[in-house]
């Protein structure tokens, strides 16, 4: 690799989950602290960080095509850093196959990004995919300006080893960040303008502090921050929904009535083959207990169709579960074999046409479910946190307590928490009428 002048401008492109979005923001802050500036819209950056996702699809191919597309008209290219979960899983191969990549950095090592970039600029390609336990966060600069709704990663990694999933391999074992660090970061986020904080983790409800206390204790400490209006958390595993966390949905008024609780499939045989270590009944029991303390709570989930060996009858059980639970919103995916996971080597891989059919049927059922949930909210009054302008002039888009997208017109601004009446529902959003003018 030829030496280049130290980069002055950067761009971070994050793919995949919200934890990657959070990591991408923190990498940006790290580069800012080095005196670099984000490249202006439309301008070319000296450094491009591809913050990759490995969860599904041909993620690796995508990375190579993105790298190829970064080549400029005159044949030159920015300094390229590949970060995220593809970097972790395929770092050596990326270095071999893509000579234009200067830096490969895994999700647990990105606090070293500036040093790695400096190495690469000096002409020495640099790779760091070490996975030390959470040393990274202590090495990051403090949070800077953030939007009204901010992410806070509290826990990383996963010990569950669902047989389809790469996360335990790319993000490593479950590690919780310390209570005091998280409260301090929460304070900084609120000082920087956050009204809502979403606590993030692959298994966020497996978070424990040094004394073994659960997420409800962190939510309570954050709720004590006067400037903070809303607290959310995702993604949760059904087996980690403790009594304490369930009770927080009754006792903590800032904890929003929304629970993202993936189930993946509606058949006990498939769940066992997935190594989910819960059943349909135990999953439904968790939801019932949450609904008992917080009636009307919005439940969302993740589903995988076409797991190896899934029969038509087993898939039909997934559809029945959707109808029985009544989801507010959901994510649904075709099973995608991930290299190195047990399911990738299982018999009974499902044909693509069958996957397509099942996904369509599932998405139709989920749409019906969301529409029913949203329609039931019409006529209610609620607070909406404004996130951005809507498509039409004078229109605003924000989130209800139930994480519904709500749009309305009126005198308001981004970051305002306004009172509306919900007037019309679609499967993916609601129209509302502004009731209380935003404070001046
Ligand atoms: N194929 C399809 N979907 C997957 N997910 C995780 N691994 C796979 C895979 N191999 C989905 C699960 C999980 C979400 C984050 O991604 O539904 O909850
Ligand atoms: Fe993957 Fe299962 Fe862990 Fe979720 S709980 S990150 S699906 S292994």
């Amino acid at each position: 690799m030829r030496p280049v002048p130290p980069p002055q401008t950067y761009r971070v492109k994050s793919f995949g989950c919200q934890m990657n979005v959070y990591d991408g923001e923190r990498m940006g802050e790290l580069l800012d602290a080095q005196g670099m500036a984000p490249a202006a819209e439309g301008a070319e950056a000296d450094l491009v960080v591809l913050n990759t996702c490995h969860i599904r699809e041909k993620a690796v191919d995508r990375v190579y095509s993105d790298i190829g597309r970064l080549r400029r008209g005159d044949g030159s290219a920015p300094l390229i850093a590949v970060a995220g979960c593809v970097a972790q899983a395929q770092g050596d191969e990326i270095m071999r196959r893509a000579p234009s990549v200067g830096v490969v950095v895994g999700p647990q090592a990105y606090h070293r990004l500036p040093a790695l970039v400096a190495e690469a600029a000096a002409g020495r390609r640099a790779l760091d995919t070490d996975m030390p336990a959470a040393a990274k966060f202590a090495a990051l600069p403090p949070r800077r300006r953030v939007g009204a709704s901010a992410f806070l990663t509290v826990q990383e990694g996963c010990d569950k080893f669902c047989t389809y999933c790469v996360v335990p391999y790319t993000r490593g074992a479950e590690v919780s960040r310390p209570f005091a660090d998280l409260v301090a970061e929460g304070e900084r986020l609120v000082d920087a303008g956050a009204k809502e904080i979403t606590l993030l983790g692959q298994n966020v409800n497996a978070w424990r502090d040094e004394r073994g206390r659960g997420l409800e204790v962190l939510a309570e400490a954050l709720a004590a921050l006067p400037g903070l209006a809303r607290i959310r958390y995702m993604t949760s595993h059904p087996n980690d929904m403790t009594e304490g966390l369930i009770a927080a949905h009754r006792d903590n008024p800032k904890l929003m009535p929304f629970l993202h609780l993936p189930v993946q499939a509606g058949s006990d045989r498939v769940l066992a083959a997935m190594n989910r270590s819960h059943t349909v009944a135990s999953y439904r029991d968790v939801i019932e207990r949450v609904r008992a303390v917080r009636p009307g709570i919005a439940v969302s989930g993740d589903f995988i169709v076409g797991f190896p060996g899934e029969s038509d009858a087993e898939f039909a059980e997934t559809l029945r579960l959707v109808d029985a639970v009544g989801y507010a919103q959901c994510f649904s995916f075709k099973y995608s074999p991930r290299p190195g996971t047990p399911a990738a080597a299982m018999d009974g891989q499902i044909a693509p046409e069958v996957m397509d059919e099942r996904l369509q049927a599932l998405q139709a059922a989920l749409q019906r479910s969301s529409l029913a949930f949203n329609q039931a909210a019409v006529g209610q009054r609620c607070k909406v946190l404004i996130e951005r302008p809507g498509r039409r002039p004078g229109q605003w888009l924000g989130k209800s307590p139930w994480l519904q997208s709500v749009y309305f017109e009126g005198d308001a601004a981004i970051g305002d928490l306004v009172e509306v009446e919900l007037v019309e529902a679609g499967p993916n959003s609601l129209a509302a009428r502004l009731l209380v003018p935003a404070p001046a």
Side-chain angles (χ1 to χ4, degrees):
M1 199 164 208
R2 270 188 305 110
V4 293
Q8 306 287 312
T9 61
Y10 71 85
R11 193 183 307 284
V12 180
K13 293 171 98 178
S14 289
F15 305 90
C17 68
Q18 285 148 331
M19 303 197 46
N20 256 15
V21 175
Y22 175 89
D23 290 345
E25 286 170 4
R26 306 240 44 191
M27 284 190 260
E29 290 166 348
L30 262 173
L31 298 172
D32 288 339
Q34 300 295 304
M36 279 192 233
E41 207 50 57
E44 278 166 355
D46 300 336
L47 167 71
V48 174
V49 181
L50 297 173
N51 191 18
T52 60
C53 170
H54 202 219
I55 196 98
R56 284 176 297 274
E57 308 291 333
K58 305 195 167 48
V60 187
D61 298 348
R62 161 111 201 232
V63 175
Y64 289 111
S65 75
D66 282 350
I67 292 168
R69 242 178 289 134
L70 287 171
R71 192 156 290 285
R72 300 171 182 138
D74 63 1
S76 69
L79 185 54
I80 301 171
V82 179
C85 292
V86 179
Q88 188 65 40
Q90 313 262 331
D92 293 323
E93 195 182 333
I94 292 170
M95 280 300 199
R96 243 190 339 269
R97 274 182 57 187
S100 60
V101 169
V103 172
V104 166
V105 61
Q108 306 305 344
Y110 69 75
H111 55 293
R112 298 202 53 237
L113 182 63
L116 299 169
V117 167
E119 281 276 305
R124 293 181 296 272
R125 304 174 80 204
L127 176 141
D128 190 345
T129 49
D130 283 352
M131 298 183 97
K136 157 181 87 192
F137 291 107
L140 295 173
R143 306 306 314 264
R144 25 157 228 173
R145 241 173 49 76
V146 294
S149 180
F151 292 137
L152 173 52
T153 292
V154 305
Q155 175 281 342
E156 285 188 287
C158 183
D159 299 339
K160 304 277 191 298
F161 290 94
C162 298
T163 52
Y164 51 81
C165 187
V166 284
V167 165
Y169 311 97
T170 56
R171 291 267 173 172
E174 282 175 11
V175 177
S176 294
R177 295 180 60 192
F179 176 84
D181 293 8
L182 293 169
V183 174
E185 191 170 330
E187 280 169 3
R188 290 232 175 77
L189 289 170
V190 172
D191 288 346
K195 299 228 172 90
E196 170 176 280
I197 291 180
T198 301
L199 307 175
L200 296 180
Q202 263 95 26
N203 259 299
V204 70
N205 58 344
W207 179 87
R208 294 290 177 274
D209 76 355
E210 302 83 322
R211 293 154 56 189
R213 299 180 304 172
L215 201 61
E216 64 277 13
V217 175
L218 180 60
E220 198 181 302
L222 293 173
L225 300 174
L228 187 67
R230 294 178 160 190
I231 300 165
R232 303 182 183 277
Y233 61 100
M234 65 171 43
T235 291
S236 297
H237 192 284
N239 292 359
D240 293 318
M241 280 312 287
T242 60
E243 286 308 322
L245 184 54
I246 291 174
H249 280 282
R250 177 190 60 217
D251 301 334
N252 185 339
K254 292 190 181 178
L255 194 59
M256 289 293 103
F258 182 91
L259 177 63
H260 181 64
L261 200 65
V263 63
Q264 317 295 358
S267 139
D268 283 340
R269 194 204 62 81
V270 174
L271 290 176
M274 288 177 162
N275 192 33
R276 287 288 298 177
S277 60
H278 62 77
T279 61
V280 174
S282 68
Y283 173 81
R284 292 191 56 185
D285 179 61
V286 172
I287 292 177
E288 256 167 51
R289 284 186 286 139
V290 178
R291 282 180 168 158
V293 301
R294 193 75 161 91
I297 189 168
V299 177
S300 94
D302 291 347
F303 290 89
I304 296 175
V305 301
F307 185 79
E310 185 187 63
S311 69
D312 285 337
E314 286 164 345
F315 172 66
E317 291 185 73
T318 298
L319 296 178
R320 278 202 292 279
L321 176 63
V322 169
D323 288 342
V325 167
Y327 286 97
Q329 57 177 64
C330 275
F331 299 104
S332 50
F333 312 103
K334 289 189 262 188
Y335 168 70
S336 160
R338 310 312 294 133
T341 60
M346 284 179 186
D347 293 336
Q349 301 285 328
I350 304 292
E353 317 81 73
V354 178
M355 294 252 199
D356 288 339
E357 250 169 56
R358 287 183 188 169
L359 188 66
Q360 269 188 19
L362 176 58
Q363 290 187 338
L366 291 171
Q367 287 266 314
R368 282 196 302 276
S369 193
S370 307
L371 183 60
F373 184 85
N374 289 346
Q375 279 171 339
V378 170
Q380 288 200 49
R381 294 177 172 203
C382 68
K383 290 257 173 65
V384 168
L385 180 59
I386 303 182
E387 292 182 353
R388 55 192 157 91
R391 251 172 292 149
R392 276 188 264 138
Q395 199 181 54
W396 298 103
L397 193 72
K399 290 282 169 21
S400 77
W402 305 278
L403 206 67
Q404 294 149 308
S405 291
V406 176
Y407 58 93
F408 57 91
E409 283 167 16
D411 187 16
I414 292 175
D416 286 349
L417 197 61
V418 295
E419 180 99 5
V420 304
E421 182 183 330
L422 302 170
V423 295
E424 204 188 315
N428 305 314
S429 63
L430 289 123
R433 190 165 62 86
L434 183 62
L435 291 176
V436 183

